[in-house]
Amino acid sequence: MSSTILIIGATGNTGKSAVRNLSRLLESSRTSYRILALTRSVDSPASQSLAKLPNVELKEKDWTTIDAAWLQNEHIFRAYIAPHNLPSQFAEESNLHLALLHAGVRYVVRISTNAEYLSPTNPVFYGRAHWAIENLLSQPEFKDLQWTSLQPNFFTISYLASVADWVKNYRETGEQQMLTMVPAADVPVAMVDPEDVGNVGAHLLALDDPSPYNHGRYIISGPEDVTGKDLVKLAEKTAGVKAEKVEFKVTSWIHELVKAGVYPEKLLPSILSGFEPLWAGRCSLAGTPTSKQVLDLARPERTIEVALKAMLEG
């Protein structure tokens, strides 16, 4: 069997881009590789689209059940991990890295979180979990497992969702809803598109020798600073109408996630604290610049206008 690159979260936020770009990059490789893309459903439209790509195989599997024996049986030698940010993340992701180590996997690219959250004292609980994973992998016991951790800025898909919904509603009904958004009116943020993040991961996994990037912790911001007012202008330009009512710094959707049971209510203050660096301007190009290694390897290019267009067409 060909050497296999495992993609965990293949149909998720950044995973689709990782699979597409890795398939493209490996077409010119002199070595035969298999891309094993894990998904919840091989019958979903996203899975069906990825399954048509060269050297890509889709498989249904819960990544939290992966052990060393399964990895060895599938001939995994590199992996891409886009973990969830639920309270169980550290336990489940650290188990996976232990399995990767014991299976002899050589290199892993993992998706971390915003660099502003990565410290042992940060109030955002999943920021501490990502910090702990990166420090776990830095221990000498893990020296045989090379790794790179990508730290994306705020995702376009999260903060353009309300803009896309507003445009879609206006196009369908001719009526305006309140245009709400998370960013502050005048504070810049260099939000990054998941497509760009997955592309960086693909470039790393396609390298003949990824060792220069071992233990790398790289920030990925978007190509431009954007304020809430910029998003309003984009919404108006796309819909062809001036927005009548606009509200900035809206976080009600987080409360809805708690009500839906995605996160326990006791963690709500921790999650909400994550908006403070966004509104303080620390997530701009000046405050959170993209790492030089990323700029040299696969510079982020997708603007908010391109990202919104894709969301409306998708």
Side-chain angles (χ1 to χ4, degrees):
M1 181 179 289
S2 301
S3 296
T4 300
I5 301 175
L6 177 66
I7 308 292
I8 292 174
T11 54
N13 201 15
T14 65
K16 294 189 291 291
S17 172
V19 175
R20 285 196 302 267
N21 285 291
L22 185 57
S23 175
R24 173 180 57 82
L25 292 167
L26 293 180
E27 279 192 278
S28 58
S29 174
R30 290 173 291 183
T31 305
S32 177
Y33 293 109
R34 177 179 68 134
I35 301 170
L36 181 57
L38 298 193
T39 180
R40 292 188 181 92
S41 172
V42 296
D43 297 321
S44 71
S47 294
Q48 292 295 304
S49 175
L50 294 177
K52 297 175 183 177
L53 297 174
N55 304 314
V56 173
E57 176 185 335
L58 272 291
K59 178 171 287 191
E60 292 181 7
K61 187 169 181 63
D62 179 354
W63 68 267
T64 65
T65 67
I66 289 175
D67 57 20
W70 184 87
L71 292 164
Q72 290 173 332
N73 187 60
E74 294 290 347
H75 301 274
I76 308 299
F77 87 115
R78 292 182 183 178
Y80 176 93
I81 306 170
H84 59 71
N85 281 341
L86 300 176
S88 60
Q89 178 204 338
F90 178 81
E92 292 173 343
E93 190 182 348
S94 61
N95 278 343
L96 175 59
H97 289 297
L98 193 61
L100 293 167
L101 175 68
H102 289 164
V105 174
R106 303 301 302 275
Y107 179 58
V108 59
V109 175
R110 66 176 301 275
I111 303 302
S112 183
T113 189
N114 193 301
E116 283 289 325
Y117 301 164
L118 290 164
S119 85
T121 57
N122 194 277
V124 180
F125 74 89
Y126 56 83
R128 297 193 301 273
H130 280 289
W131 174 87
I133 289 290
E134 291 181 353
N135 281 274
L136 173 85
L137 293 173
S138 299
Q139 301 310 304
E141 290 86 350
F142 277 87
K143 64 181 176 60
D144 291 332
L145 176 62
Q146 297 189 55
W147 59 274
T148 302
S149 193
L150 302 180
Q151 302 170 353
N153 208 328
F154 290 98
F155 282 129
T156 54
I157 196 168
S158 298
Y159 298 125
L160 287 177
S162 60
V163 176
D165 289 343
W166 184 85
V167 172
K168 288 178 182 178
N169 179 76
Y170 180 76
R171 287 176 173 177
E172 292 171 359
T173 68
E175 298 179 356
Q176 285 198 39
Q177 298 176 323
M178 172 77 77
L179 175 56
T180 63
M181 60 191 65
V182 175
D186 296 302
V187 179
V189 55
M191 61 182 70
V192 65
D193 195 86
E195 289 287 322
D196 282 331
V197 177
N199 185 40
V200 174
H203 275 76
L204 286 166
L205 290 166
L207 291 169
D208 290 334
D209 177 17
S211 60
Y213 299 90
N214 186 28
H215 287 212
R217 309 181 196 203
Y218 302 137
I219 294 172
I220 310 179
S221 287
E224 59 187 350
D225 275 333
V226 180
T227 66
K229 288 181 179 178
D230 291 328
L231 294 185
V232 173
K233 291 177 183 177
L234 177 60
E236 293 174 337
K237 176 183 176 182
T238 305
V241 64
K242 186 171 180 59
E244 297 171 353
K245 298 179 180 179
V246 180
E247 186 176 357
F248 302 101
K249 300 172 70 171
V250 174
T251 61
S252 56
W253 58 282
I254 296 293
H255 295 263
E256 293 302 319
L257 290 177
V258 170
K259 288 181 181 178
V262 177
Y263 296 102
E265 187 173 2
K266 62 186 177 182
L267 290 178
L268 183 58
S270 173
I271 299 170
L272 292 175
S273 68
F275 295 114
E276 294 175 8
L278 168 69
W279 297 332
R282 300 203 301 271
C283 299
S284 63
L285 284 173
T288 313
T290 298
S291 299
K292 181 181 184 301
Q293 294 87 343
V294 171
L295 294 174
D296 292 341
L297 187 69
R299 179 183 293 266
E301 296 180 343
R302 283 171 68 96
T303 64
I304 57 166
E305 187 165 358
V306 171
L308 180 61
K309 184 175 185 290
M311 292 173 71
L312 291 171
E313 294 175 350

